[in-house]
């Protein structure tokens, strides 16, 4: 096992009680799960391919070298989250609003940095998108996760 895989395994080990960093990991996991859920078009209709290719279209794509890319897009597989992942997402996604509702600046930081982590980005990405300083976003995220962890411990929420 290489050092990176070992570090990831240690980071995802379930602690005996809620901590700020563990809350942050579960929130990022919830954001990743949410992104994996299939989203409809909002029209109530079935989702069909955007268009159908005729034989002439396929020949033209082959001549331009685009046929392989088109076929790869048509044959991609979308992995869906398990029911356990969805259940954990439904629980965790509410934590910022439940525990930080009165502290709007912390709530926004927790959600923004959790989303960034879910997208494999950092607080610097949040600062570039929303303004401010990466250190401020990170500190507010950590402070908000600590407050959520205290609330989860006081309510005796089982650690997952």
């Amino acid at each position: 096992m290489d050092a990176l895989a070992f570090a990831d395994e240690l980071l995802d080990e379930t602690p005996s009680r809620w901590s700020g960093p563990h809350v942050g990991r579960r929130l990022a996991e919830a954001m990743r799960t949410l992104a994996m859920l299939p989203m409809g078009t909002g029209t109530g209709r079935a989702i069909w391919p955007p268009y159908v290719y005729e034989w002439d279209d396929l020949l033209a794509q082959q001549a331009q070298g685009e046929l392989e890319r088109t076929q790869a897009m048509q044959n991609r597989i979308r992995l869906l989250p398990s029911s356990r992942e969805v259940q954990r997402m439904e629980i965790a996604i509410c934590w910022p609003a439940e525990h930080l509702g009165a502290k709007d600046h912390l709530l926004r930081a927790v959600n923004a940095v959790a989303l960034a982590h879910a997208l494999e980005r950092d607080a610097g990405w949040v600062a570039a998108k929303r303004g401010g300083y990466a250190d401020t976003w990170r500190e507010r995220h950590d402070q908000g996760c600590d407050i959520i962890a205290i609330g989860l411990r006081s309510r005796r929420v089982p650690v997952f």
Side-chain angles (χ1 to χ4, degrees):
M1 179 183 305
D2 67 342
L4 184 58
F6 183 70
D8 285 342
E9 184 178 314
L10 286 177
L11 284 176
D12 201 33
E13 188 173 306
T14 304
S16 59
R17 58 183 237 155
W18 286 107
S19 66
H22 190 69
V23 167
R25 280 192 293 280
R26 291 301 169 238
L27 286 170
E29 177 185 273
M31 296 282 188
R32 271 191 301 277
T33 301
L34 183 62
M36 290 173 58
L37 292 175
M39 302 292 174
T41 60
T43 61
R45 292 184 231 147
I47 299 174
W48 288 93
Y51 37 82
V52 178
Y53 292 109
E54 298 293 330
W55 179 252
D56 293 334
D57 296 331
L58 294 174
L59 288 176
Q61 285 182 5
Q62 185 178 18
Q64 295 175 359
E66 291 288 318
L67 184 59
E68 290 81 17
R69 188 176 68 85
T70 300
Q71 289 174 336
M73 286 176 34
Q74 290 175 337
N75 291 329
R76 68 181 175 182
I77 297 173
R78 183 177 181 112
L79 298 176
L80 297 176
S82 69
S83 62
R84 182 177 182 197
E85 290 171 325
V86 171
Q87 180 184 26
R88 288 166 65 159
M89 183 258 326
E90 288 174 339
I91 293 168
I93 207 86
C94 299
W95 292 342
E98 290 173 354
H99 297 276
L100 303 173
K103 298 175 176 94
D104 190 48
H105 64 291
L106 296 181
L107 186 139
R108 280 187 274 122
V110 166
N111 283 334
V113 175
L115 177 61
H117 289 165
L119 298 172
E120 297 181 5
R121 302 280 179 20
D122 61 2
W125 180 79
V126 176
K129 290 279 191 190
R130 296 183 172 219
Y133 298 100
D135 290 340
T136 304
W137 284 102
R138 190 177 310 104
E139 287 171 11
R140 289 178 178 175
H141 170 266
D142 293 348
Q143 184 182 2
C145 287
D146 288 339
I147 291 170
I148 292 170
I150 291 167
L152 294 174
R153 285 193 305 260
S154 70
R155 290 180 18 211
R156 300 185 190 273
V157 174
V159 181
F160 58 86

